[in-house]
Amino acid sequence: MDDELLVQSPVSLPTERPAGCPFDPPAGLGALRAERPLTPMRYPDGHMGWLATGWSTVRAILSDPRFSARYELMHHPLPGGPEGPLPPAPPGDMTGMDAPEHTRYRRLLAGKFTVRRMDALTARLEEITTGCLDAMERRGGPLDLVEAFARPVPALMICELLGVPYADREVFQRHTAALMDQNSSVEEMRAAWTGLQEYIRALVSAKRAAPTDDLLSDLTTGDLTDDELTGLGGFLLGAGLDTTANMLAHGTFALLSNTDQLAALRDGPGLAAGAVEELMRYLTVAHTTVRSALEDVEVDGLLIRAGETVTLSLQAANRDPERFPGPDALDLSRRAVGQLGFGHGVHQCLGQQLARVEMRVAFPALFARFPALRLAVPAEEVPLRHHANIYGVDRLPVAWD
Ligand code: HEM
């Protein structure tokens, strides 16, 4: 790293979001992006690395094979994380691996997220969404939309994807709900995680013995070990559940707070696909990712040395005015092509088509069923997930009378 630059101005990762707009990224990120889209950053463990905030800079780094995704080469960007490099990715956690391990998982999985399977899932998704909306109607408002809708829809979809039998869904959902509940104690979280791992391990054995038409059964025919399959099952659950649940809940909050945009969506259901891309850009719930340089690399005229960690702010990149004019407005008619909410490059989200289908069905169905849907508390009282890896809301109290 250039000594002069380092002495002048290493920053820490800005994390404080501006009061008053629960949808905007931390304020300091915008100023950094305008001045230096790639800037030296001091990590909480003392490591001197970098922070990338500009859209083209973030994109360039994510598509450059000279940057590694291996956890054990990275320093944690946030205070309170582990000191020094992180432990290596466990079996199945493909986001923390490089080629050839990563390529092996990616090849095995890519062919499984087929159009045929996504189409089959869409039909089930419509049933699942209707079932959740019926249950909401029976209960009556006010209720917590996270618990009643935003969490069960993706949880049941993961059950479909993995092939969790109907009889087991209650157990599966109980464990996943405890894992995602911010009020769960450490013991409850640990018990839920162990319960889930045991459940997935047993499911893997069952699928090996008697395969059915689902992703996990397909994967048992490959060369993955039971440990790898169990890890992958848990990883897919984590990757697809918290993310989609927060997009559904926080997206609903954003639409209820931007009534002109909500009206446009209601009047033109054909807008749903574009609306989902714009909500992904505007909210960027998976706000940050990290890479480390495997060799010296020049980016934006600056030298990132081998071994240095780079934090990539997907949320800052998605608000870059050079790519998205007027970036702080939610504008559902915008063509948010190139939004980085699903990442970019070889690790780009594998489940993005599924997530898109879920959102394209769930948002219009929710607002069609409850045309008078509104927040049941003042917007300032909605509890935000300020320091979570996936941003969003813990609860979203809504009513519709
Ligand atoms: C709106 C919902 C979602 C968001 C915002 C999201 C976001 C992301 C992001 C940003 C990455 C890249 C991480 C990185 O480069 O470090 C990623 C990777 C991944 N996502 Fe998603 N995701 C979503 C839904 C899903 C779903 C539904 C699934 C599957 C069931 C899924 C499976 C994966 C997998 C397997 C990877 C790792 C890909 C790899 O490393 O090659 N995601 N996701």
Side-chain angles (χ1 to χ4, degrees):
M1 183 178 294
D2 181 320
D3 284 348
E4 201 186 326
L5 197 57
L6 187 76
V7 171
Q8 271 177 10
S9 51
V11 298
S12 319
L13 181 63
T15 55
E16 287 312 312
R17 290 178 188 264
C21 186
F23 313 112
D24 282 349
L29 286 171
L32 282 173
R33 187 189 50 230
E35 277 172 36
R36 288 174 304 173
L38 179 65
T39 193
M41 172 170 148
R42 187 192 304 276
Y43 284 64
D45 66 359
H47 174 72
M48 283 298 178
W50 299 86
L51 169 62
T53 47
W55 181 84
S56 57
T57 312
V58 167
R59 211 162 172 273
I61 293 173
L62 285 176
S63 49
D64 190 328
R66 293 171 296 175
F67 288 95
S68 167
R70 283 163 59 195
Y71 296 154
E72 68 270 32
L73 303 179
M74 289 173 190
H75 295 262
H76 202 272
L78 290 167
E83 293 270 316
L86 305 171
D93 184 350
M94 58 197 283
T95 40
M97 299 172 183
D98 292 341
E101 291 81 9
H102 172 259
T103 324
R104 172 173 168 251
Y105 279 103
R106 188 95 197 179
R107 285 219 180 100
L108 275 170
L109 277 172
K112 311 297 178 198
F113 281 73
T114 55
V115 173
R116 187 181 69 82
R117 180 155 289 143
M118 292 307 125
D119 282 350
L121 287 174
T122 306
R124 276 296 294 135
L125 172 63
E126 280 160 2
E127 287 170 30
I128 286 169
T129 307
T130 305
C132 288
L133 294 172
D134 289 348
M136 279 174 66
E137 209 166 353
R138 280 195 300 273
R139 268 173 69 181
L143 51 68
D144 173 16
L145 192 83
V146 173
E147 189 224 312
F149 188 73
R151 222 161 36 198
V153 170
L156 289 168
M157 287 306 288
I158 299 275
C159 287
E160 291 291 328
L161 188 74
L162 296 182
V164 174
Y166 283 93
D168 296 352
R169 292 203 171 176
E170 196 277 319
V171 184
F172 187 85
Q173 264 203 289
R174 186 158 34 83
H175 288 317
T176 53
L179 269 180
M180 285 178 63
D181 187 344
Q182 302 289 306
N183 297 318
S184 293
S185 66
V186 175
E187 290 73 39
E188 285 167 335
M189 291 258 189
R190 202 168 287 146
W193 180 243
T194 309
L196 206 55
Q197 285 289 296
E198 279 168 7
Y199 178 77
I200 295 174
R201 190 171 290 278
L203 191 61
V204 165
S205 303
K207 300 287 177 192
R208 277 207 201 280
T212 37
D213 183 14
D214 49 65
L215 186 102
L216 210 53
S217 297
D218 280 8
L219 289 172
T220 57
T221 59
D223 63 353
L224 295 174
T225 65
D226 279 7
D227 278 352
E228 287 173 324
L229 269 172
T230 305
L232 191 56
F235 172 71
L236 284 173
L237 177 75
L241 188 47
D242 208 17
T243 45
T244 315
N246 274 292
M247 270 307 295
L248 289 177
H250 209 38
T252 302
F253 186 17
L255 289 167
L256 291 175
S257 307
N258 287 268
T259 44
D260 55 332
Q261 297 302 307
L262 178 54
L265 181 62
R266 276 211 184 96
D267 295 347
L271 213 64
V276 163
E277 283 328 280
E278 171 65 350
L279 283 166
M280 283 290 301
R281 181 199 72 79
Y282 183 67
L283 300 173
T284 319
V285 295
H287 48 82
T288 308
T289 188
V290 183
R291 298 289 188 268
S292 281
L294 291 168
E295 56 186 88
D296 291 0
V297 187
E298 198 179 304
V299 178
D300 291 354
L302 297 167
L303 184 64
I304 301 180
R305 291 196 189 279
E308 290 178 346
T309 293
V310 189
T311 293
L312 303 139
S313 178
L314 301 176
Q315 57 184 343
N318 271 345
R319 297 287 185 108
D320 188 337
E322 288 195 12
R323 174 71 192 187
F324 306 105
D328 295 329
L330 175 68
D331 174 3
L332 299 189
S333 64
R334 183 199 300 273
R335 281 178 41 98
V337 178
Q339 62 83 13
L340 298 176
F342 288 117
H344 182 70
V346 290
H347 288 278
Q348 193 180 37
C349 182
L350 202 60
Q352 59 186 286
Q353 296 313 341
L354 176 58
R356 284 190 172 103
V357 169
E358 291 185 42
M359 291 186 276
R360 285 174 195 171
V361 169
F363 283 124
L366 174 68
F367 290 108
R369 179 70 71 95
F370 302 111
L373 195 77
R374 60 176 170 81
L375 290 181
V377 297
E380 316 75 73
E381 288 175 23
V382 174
L384 300 168
R385 295 161 54 109
H386 274 294
H387 300 290
N389 288 338
I390 305 297
Y391 184 57
V393 293
D394 282 336
R395 280 177 294 111
L396 192 69
V398 293
W400 52 85
D401 44 22

